[in-house]
Coordinates of all heavy atoms in Angstrom, one line a residue:
R63 N 36.7 -11.3 -12.6 CA 36.6 -11.7 -14.0 C 37.9 -12.4 -14.4 O 38.0 -13.5 -15.1 CB 36.4 -10.6 -14.9 CG 36.3 -11.0 -16.4 CD 35.1 -11.9 -16.7 NE 35.1 -12.3 -18.1 CZ 35.8 -13.3 -18.6 NH1 36.7 -14.0 -17.9 NH2 35.7 -13.6 -19.9
I66 N 38.2 -16.0 -12.8 CA 37.4 -17.1 -13.4 C 37.4 -17.1 -14.9 O 36.6 -17.8 -15.5 CB 35.9 -16.8 -13.0 CG1 35.3 -15.5 -13.6 CG2 35.7 -16.8 -11.5 CD1 33.9 -15.3 -13.3
D67 N 38.4 -16.4 -15.5 CA 38.5 -16.4 -16.9 C 38.7 -17.8 -17.5 O 38.1 -18.1 -18.5 CB 39.7 -15.5 -17.3 CG 39.7 -15.4 -18.8 OD1 38.8 -14.8 -19.4 OD2 40.8 -15.8 -19.4
G68 N 39.5 -18.6 -16.9 CA 39.7 -20.0 -17.4 C 38.5 -20.9 -17.2 O 38.4 -21.9 -17.9
L69 N 37.6 -20.5 -16.4 CA 36.4 -21.3 -16.2 C 35.2 -21.0 -17.1 O 34.3 -21.7 -17.2 CB 35.9 -21.2 -14.8 CG 36.9 -21.5 -13.7 CD1 36.4 -21.2 -12.3 CD2 37.4 -23.0 -13.8
L70 N 35.3 -19.8 -17.8 CA 34.2 -19.3 -18.6 C 34.5 -19.6 -20.1 O 35.6 -19.6 -20.6 CB 34.1 -17.8 -18.5 CG 33.6 -17.3 -17.1 CD1 33.6 -15.8 -17.1 CD2 32.3 -17.9 -16.7
P71 N 33.4 -20.0 -20.8 CA 33.6 -20.1 -22.3 C 33.7 -18.8 -22.9 O 33.4 -17.7 -22.3 CB 32.3 -20.8 -22.7 CG 31.3 -20.4 -21.6 CD 32.1 -20.2 -20.4
P72 N 34.2 -18.7 -24.1 CA 34.3 -17.4 -24.8 C 32.9 -16.7 -25.0 O 31.9 -17.3 -25.1 CB 34.9 -17.8 -26.2 CG 35.5 -19.1 -26.0 CD 34.7 -19.8 -25.0
G73 N 33.0 -15.4 -25.0 CA 31.7 -14.6 -25.2 C 31.1 -14.0 -23.9 O 30.0 -13.4 -24.0
F74 N 31.8 -14.0 -22.8 CA 31.3 -13.4 -21.6 C 32.3 -12.4 -21.0 O 32.7 -12.5 -19.8 CB 31.0 -14.5 -20.5 CG 29.9 -15.4 -20.9 CD1 30.2 -16.6 -21.6 CD2 28.5 -15.0 -20.7 CE1 29.1 -17.4 -22.0 CE2 27.5 -15.9 -21.1 CZ 27.8 -17.1 -21.7
P75 N 32.8 -11.5 -21.8 CA 33.9 -10.6 -21.3 C 33.4 -9.6 -20.2 O 34.1 -9.1 -19.4 CB 34.3 -9.8 -22.5 CG 33.2 -9.9 -23.4 CD 32.5 -11.2 -23.2
Y76 N 32.1 -9.3 -20.2 CA 31.6 -8.2 -19.3 C 30.8 -8.8 -18.2 O 30.1 -8.1 -17.5 CB 30.6 -7.3 -20.1 CG 31.3 -6.6 -21.3 CD1 31.1 -7.1 -22.6 CD2 32.2 -5.6 -21.1 CE1 31.7 -6.5 -23.7 CE2 32.8 -5.0 -22.2 CZ 32.6 -5.4 -23.5 OH 33.2 -4.8 -24.5
L77 N 30.9 -10.1 -18.0 CA 30.1 -10.8 -17.0 C 30.1 -10.1 -15.6 O 29.1 -9.8 -15.0 CB 30.4 -12.3 -16.9 CG 29.6 -13.1 -15.9 CD1 28.2 -13.2 -16.3 CD2 30.2 -14.5 -15.8
F110 N 39.8 -9.3 -22.2 CA 39.0 -10.5 -22.3 C 38.4 -10.7 -23.6 O 37.6 -11.6 -23.8 CB 37.9 -10.5 -21.2 CG 38.5 -10.3 -19.8 CD1 38.3 -9.2 -19.0 CD2 39.3 -11.3 -19.3 CE1 38.8 -9.1 -17.8 CE2 39.9 -11.2 -18.0 CZ 39.6 -10.1 -17.2
Q114 N 43.3 -10.8 -27.3 CA 43.5 -10.2 -26.0 C 44.8 -9.4 -26.0 O 45.8 -9.7 -26.7 CB 43.6 -11.3 -24.9 CG 42.3 -12.0 -24.7 CD 42.5 -13.2 -23.7 OE1 43.6 -13.6 -23.4 NE2 41.3 -13.7 -23.3

Side-chain angles (χ1 to χ4, degrees):
R63 178 65 181 81
I66 64 174
D67 184 60
L69 303 176
L70 295 176
F74 296 94
Y76 302 103
L77 180 65
F110 304 114
Q114 296 176 344

